[in-house]
Amino acid sequence: QVQLVDSGGGSVQAGGSLRLSCAATTDTYVRTLMGWFRQPPGKEREGVAFIDRDVRTAYADSVKGRFTISRDNTENLLYLHMDSLKVEDTGNYYCVADLRPMTAIQALRAPHYAFRYRSQGTQVTVSS
């Protein structure tokens, strides 16, 4: 069982930065694949960034070079640092977790319902 609690959303102007955090309650965090999804208003959910147990990362093309995913295995924390934010980055962001030995690349290609655990979501609003 994995419980996820995210935080860090807010409103920012285009070009600004935000950092999202996700705290995981689990005894197996070091072996857990973690990632972030987002759902823009009126659009489908999309995978944003993932980090696997071997600390390999994968990013959606739309955020490459601007977002950085990282994890702290000593504190069971996941981060998404977002720079150069664009209006189209607006959406509800939530973290996901899975205990299966999935790579970050595999996770990026998987649909949102493939992940067993998710957080409640935090809103990110980017204005022009």
Side-chain angles (χ1 to χ4, degrees):
Q1 185 73 14
V2 181
Q3 293 183 320
L4 304 171
V5 178
D6 55 42
S7 60
S11 297
V12 66
Q13 287 194 318
S17 299
L18 281 174
R19 189 181 77 165
L20 306 183
S21 301
C22 177
T25 303
T26 174
D27 293 333
T28 58
Y29 183 76
V30 67
R31 301 195 300 273
T32 304
L33 175 132
M34 303 291 295
W36 294 92
F37 270 85
R38 69 184 179 188
Q39 186 164 21
K43 296 184 179 180
E44 296 293 318
R45 279 174 262 201
E46 59 180 351
V48 176
F50 296 87
I51 185 166
D52 60 30
R53 61 180 68 183
D54 294 320
V55 202
R56 292 170 295 199
T57 59
Y59 297 90
D61 289 342
S62 58
V63 306
K64 277 181 183 176
R66 300 187 298 120
F67 290 13
T68 302
I69 189 170
S70 62
R71 64 191 298 163
D72 182 341
N73 286 345
T74 61
E75 300 291 338
N76 286 12
L77 289 169
L78 176 73
Y79 300 105
L80 184 67
H81 194 96
M82 305 183 290
D83 290 322
S84 303
L85 282 162
K86 303 177 181 180
V87 172
E88 50 264 42
D89 293 319
T90 295
N92 184 261
Y93 285 68
Y94 61 94
C95 61
V96 297
D98 202 284
L99 295 173
R100 292 171 293 174
M102 193 185 306
T103 68
I105 290 290
Q106 291 172 328
L108 185 64
R109 297 169 180 162
H112 66 90
Y113 49 80
F115 300 90
R116 185 169 181 181
Y117 307 102
R118 60 158 290 177
S119 64
Q120 77 281 4
T122 184
Q123 180 66 28
V124 171
T125 302
V126 184
S127 59
S128 59

